[in-house]
Amino acid sequence: MLDIFQWKLISLLGVIAVAGLCVTALVPLLGRLATEMGFVDNPDSRRKLHARPIPLVGGIAIFGTTTLLVVLGVQQFGAWLAPDSTDGLAFSLKHHGLFWASLAILCLGMVDDRYKIRGRIKLAGQLAIATGLIASGYFFDRVQVGPQMIHFGVFAVLVVYFWILGSINSVNLLDGADGFAGTLGFVVSLSLAVMGFLGRETGVEAVIAAALAGSIGGFLWFNMPPAKVYLGDGGSMLIGLVIGALAISTALKEETLYAFVAPIAMLAIPIFDSGLAVLRRQLTGRNIYTVDRGHLHHRLLGHGLSPSMAVLWLFVLCGTTALGGVLSFATRESEFAVVAVVLVVGFLIVGKVFGFAEFSMVGQRARRFALGVLGIRSKSVSGATEEWQLQGTRDWRQLFQLAQKFAEENGLDKLKLDINAPWLHESYHAVWQSPSSHLIDGEDEWGASFPLVLQERVFGRIEVFARSGAADAYRCLPKLMDLLENASLPTIESPPTGGPAKPTVAGEVERTNKTGGPSEETLLVQDSKTIADPTMNYRANRACS
């Protein structure tokens, strides 16, 4: 005779198995329908490098299957799934809120998949959906650390918003290679099912997490490299939303430290990945929405792993942190989660697998700031130089040294070179500053930005800065553009559209136009971007006319 513990375990395993089988049967049908309707992810030779259009039906299959099994499990088989409960299982307001939020985030993602909405609009939609979740009961406002109870107070709502949006977008950002987001979602949802199984009054959460884990497992059958179907933004954001909400209702609702760190440990890998993405773009001066190939899955593949081995490594890394979280929740000791996260993150950074360059950049900035506070300045004749090969193997140093020499000879104070070519798997960032420069961003500084273009695609940018008092500095800008156009750069394969692979600064196509329009010199400056003093546009045009 099975006891209650064994019966509940077998029931949840049954939910996982049935969900997996349902998705396995549903995906081929949805895939054919999506292909006929044109709801596919087309390759673009820049970011999406797959060989053929891939149906975006993973999110639909996972949502439909999970919803069906949860409704049947709670309403029809609640007594079987929760034999230790006298009243069985029942939905509450927050469960209805999770359903509508999940449907909304799926629709938002599908619209983005089809029409490519702007990042700010998508973020606004996520905020609205998170507001609905909070209003339906997904909320926490304090945590106990030892004998001390820490109240978040007026910041509680911001903390919850940050958690939900972080969960959504961290999974979404990790969905850049076959099997990655699905593997992460499977590991975390399976861990949440265990936590719901062990928790108090979290039977419905256990069923939701088990159904989600099974659905993702069935989807992975078609999503492992080489993928036949994709999650799409709808699917990846759906997984992030659900696991973020389940973490609140199974663990974060408790006020103890172990319950607080357990879900953080489960999501440590996507949180670390998305945090480094934001940090990397801030440090290099790129827009936060800029596409790059510096995420964990790109770095694993860049180390020579096959796509399948990279997925296996992700499973091991996520499994380690998730196991630490589950052990912390089961034993009520937060040390398991902390140790697991430290080991995994330490391995990635110290082993130079992922995050080493970003943390080195932070260290260099911190050192420079500390020296500035202490009044210690570099005495180097050639000025302060920082170079970071963030991705790829091509040597961009020659281009940077050429531009640096030009800056020194023409009285410029600061130079930045940023290469970001996702389709080439190349990312490089370098900064030079004159030893005599005492620039602090302000009114006495002007700057200009010149994009490097290859076959009408920007793959890099050079920025120069000088003081307004350097009256002749801006007159060198046309010469700098000519220098860049004729520079000898690392070997770059021609893009799929064919044609010459000569890198240029923006404006070269227009310069060869003989049909009239603005003069060569004026066009050069108009195509550059003046960063500071708006009067510099007028001055530069006069200097070049």
Side-chain angles (χ1 to χ4, degrees), residues 495-533:
T497 54
K502 176 187 175 184
T504 67
V505 290
E508 184 177 26
V509 175
E510 290 83 358
R511 291 177 62 195
T512 61
N513 189 350
K514 302 300 183 180
T515 60
S519 65
E520 172 181 334
E521 293 83 2
T522 303
L523 181 60
L524 284 172
V525 178
Q526 287 178 341
D527 280 339
S528 68
K529 176 185 176 184
T530 300
I531 298 175
D533 188 352

Side-chain angles (χ1 to χ4, degrees), residues 163-182:
W163 174 259
I164 295 174
L165 294 178
S167 298
I168 294 171
N169 290 292
S170 60
V171 177
N172 183 234
L173 286 173
L174 203 61
D175 186 27
D178 298 347
F180 268 73

Side-chain angles (χ1 to χ4, degrees), residues 272 276 280 294 299 348-349 352-360:
F272 184 53
L276 280 183
R280 179 171 59 252
R299 300 306 302 137
L348 292 175
I349 296 175
K352 298 184 180 181
V353 178
F354 179 61
F356 180 80
E358 289 84 350
F359 275 87
S360 297

Side-chain angles (χ1 to χ4, degrees), residues 403-414 432 434 436-437 439 446 464-474 476 479:
Q404 176 185 334
K405 181 180 179 181
F406 180 90
E408 292 173 346
E409 293 175 348
N410 289 273
L412 298 176
D413 291 286
K414 192 174 181 181
W432 168 85
S434 167
S436 61
S437 173
L439 283 177
W446 66 267
V464 294
F465 301 82
R467 293 185 299 274
S468 297
D472 296 330
Y474 56 80
C476 71
K479 293 190 294 182

Side-chain angles (χ1 to χ4, degrees), residues 265-288:
M266 291 180 182
L267 290 168
I269 294 299
I271 291 173
F272 184 53
D273 178 80
S274 56
L276 280 183
V278 173
L279 179 64
R280 179 171 59 252
R281 293 163 190 175
Q282 288 291 326
L283 291 174
T284 56
R286 302 171 187 169
N287 189 290
I288 192 174

Side-chain angles (χ1 to χ4, degrees), residues 1-18 80-81 83 197 210:
M1 187 68 179
L2 298 176
D3 58 25
I4 292 179
F5 180 88
Q6 294 172 328
W7 181 261
K8 287 177 64 177
L9 180 60
I10 293 175
S11 299
L12 289 177
L13 291 175
V15 171
I16 294 173
V18 172
W80 288 8
L81 295 174
F197 175 79

